[in-house]
């Protein structure tokens, strides 16, 4: 049985105020006194600034700011929120997130409704295919991979082998074993993605679909739960990252996102090589993928790893002695840094 409209609205408002309270507290705790020109002083028992210091910097009452951090039902104005944003040194993405959580009328538009299936899908695939040998894929706000070209599959063949309903980048990054992780700087890249996800989540607090998605990730991965609790927020931007290919090579690319007018809930991400060596490797991977497919890329990499490990895994044993196993041969390549 569904709750009456008034009850549903009350629950949603309480959830939103809880998100706002946690966001303000964590942003306050990350600031050191010296960050805002205050003396450190003795006897600071909690991290970051004190509530009264934030209130003073923002020009609001201490009790009023405390109520805001406690999630009480109060209605701050845009001017007051901007003053708090300046006091907490929030960047533009964090400021917009603060406005959304405070439900300021007209401060931030809600997220567009997802389009399913996206219109012009045949045209999209034609565009993606024309971008080869540049890896390119359409990824929605939850990091579901909706479409991709051959170069994208060659760079990350494991995700290409998943059923379409399971092609979620974050789910794979947080639940797959270390040896199959495609990112070299896992911590930095995943932190950036979660900042984007939190930004989008703030626009969809009333969406049970999103609530369920975050809940499943928190349940499946304690690491996700820990990082999600930081309430970090960031806006998408072109950035450089490094992939580990199926055969163990490293490829540095620049990821650039574009929004489709007919599907604003998703971005077309295009990976351009960061150097000539990356361009060469991407071309070789694409040619090999078209020859043997995603499963063939992974099988070939596994065979090569087994062959290369065999000579170093044991030395000639003396009479009555077992072969000596090399510790480096049995250790997986770390996927996190």
């Amino acid at each position: 049985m569904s709750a009456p409209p008034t009850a549903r609205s009350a629950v949603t408002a309480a959830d939103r105020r809880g998100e706002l309270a946690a966001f303000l507290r964590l942003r306050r705790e990350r600031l050191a006194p010296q960050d805002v020109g205050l003396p450190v002083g003795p006897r600071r028992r909690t991290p970051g600034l004190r509530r009264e210091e934030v209130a003073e910097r923002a020009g609001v009452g201490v009790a009023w700011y405390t109520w805001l951090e406690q999630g009480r039902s109060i209605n701050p104005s845009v001017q007051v929120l901007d003053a708090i944003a300046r006091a907490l040194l929030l960047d533009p993405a964090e400021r917009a997130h603060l406005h959304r959580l405070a439900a300021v009328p007209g401060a931030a538009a809600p997220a567009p409704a997802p389009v399913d299936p996206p219109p012009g899908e045949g045209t999209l695939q034609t565009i993606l295919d024309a971008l080869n040998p540049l890896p390119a894929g359409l990824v929605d706000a939850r990091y579901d991979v909706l479409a991709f070209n051959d170069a994208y599959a060659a760079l990350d063949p494991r995700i290409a082998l998943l059923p379409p309903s399971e092609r979620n980048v974050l789910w794979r990054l947080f639940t797959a074993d270390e040896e199959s992780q495609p990112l070299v700087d896992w911590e930095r890249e995943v932190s950036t993605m979660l900042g984007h996800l939190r930004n989008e989540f703030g626009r969809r607090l009333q969406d049970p679909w999103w609530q369920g998605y975050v809940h499943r990730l928190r349940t499946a991965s304690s690491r996700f739960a820990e990082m999600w609790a930081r309430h970090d927020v960031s806006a998408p931007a072109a950035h450089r990252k490094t992939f580990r290919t199926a055969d163990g090579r490293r490829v540095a690319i620049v990821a650039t996102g574009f929004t489709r007018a007919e599907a604003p809930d998703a971005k077309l991400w295009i990976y351009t090589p960061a150097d000539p060596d990356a361009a060469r490797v991407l071309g070789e991977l694409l040619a090999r993928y078209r020859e043997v497919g995603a499963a063939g890329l992974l099988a070939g990499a596994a065979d090569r790893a087994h062959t290369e490990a065999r000579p170093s895994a044991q030395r000639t044993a003396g009479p009555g002695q077992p072969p000596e196993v090399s510790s480096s041969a049995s250790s997986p390549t770390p996927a996190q840094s």
Side-chain angles (χ1 to χ4, degrees), residues 155-156 172-173 178-191 193 239-253 333-337:
L155 185 60
D156 189 5
R172 182 180 162 213
L173 290 175
E178 289 189 354
E179 290 185 334
S180 66
Q181 295 287 358
L183 295 176
V184 173
D185 193 346
W186 187 94
E187 180 80 21
R188 179 174 65 86
E189 292 300 328
V190 168
S191 296
M193 291 180 187
H239 60 285
R240 176 172 173 154
K241 59 184 177 180
T242 304
F243 280 85
R244 183 180 294 104
T245 67
D247 57 8
R249 291 183 287 180
R250 296 190 175 192
V251 180
I253 60 92
T333 302
Q336 302 180 13
S337 58

Side-chain angles (χ1 to χ4, degrees), residues 11-175:
V11 170
T12 298
D15 291 342
R16 176 182 53 76
R17 291 196 301 270
E19 287 280 327
L20 174 61
F23 179 68
L24 288 174
R25 176 176 54 81
L26 290 167
R27 296 291 77 79
R28 174 173 59 81
E29 290 178 351
R30 76 177 180 181
L31 287 177
Q34 55 268 33
D35 293 336
V36 295
L38 294 175
V40 176
R43 301 177 63 182
R44 281 189 177 265
R45 294 175 293 179
T46 57
L49 299 181
R50 299 186 177 101
R51 284 173 175 168
E52 55 266 29
E53 291 170 337
V54 175
E56 183 179 355
R57 281 175 50 79
V60 300
V62 177
W64 188 90
Y65 178 78
T66 299
W67 293 342
L68 198 61
E69 267 202 23
Q70 291 174 343
R72 297 199 189 186
S73 181
I74 54 179
N75 299 309
S77 66
V78 172
Q79 291 77 14
V80 168
L81 289 173
D82 285 345
I84 292 173
R86 288 191 294 271
L88 294 173
L89 305 184
L90 301 187
D91 63 25
E94 292 170 328
R95 175 183 172 277
H97 185 66
L98 175 65
H99 282 200
R100 283 192 290 270
L101 294 182
V104 175
V115 179
D116 186 24
E121 200 61 34
T123 302
L124 169 66
Q125 193 60 54
T126 300
I127 294 171
L128 291 171
D129 293 341
L131 288 169
N132 286 308
L134 300 181
L138 184 70
V139 182
D140 70 11
R142 296 195 320 166
Y143 286 96
D144 290 321
V145 181
L146 307 178
F148 51 87
N149 63 6
D150 286 353
Y152 188 100
L155 185 60
D156 189 5
R158 288 182 176 88
I159 204 164
L161 291 173
L162 292 172
S165 62
E166 298 178 16
R167 290 173 182 159
N168 183 273
V169 177
L170 279 178
W171 185 268
R172 182 180 162 213
L173 290 175
F174 278 101
T175 63

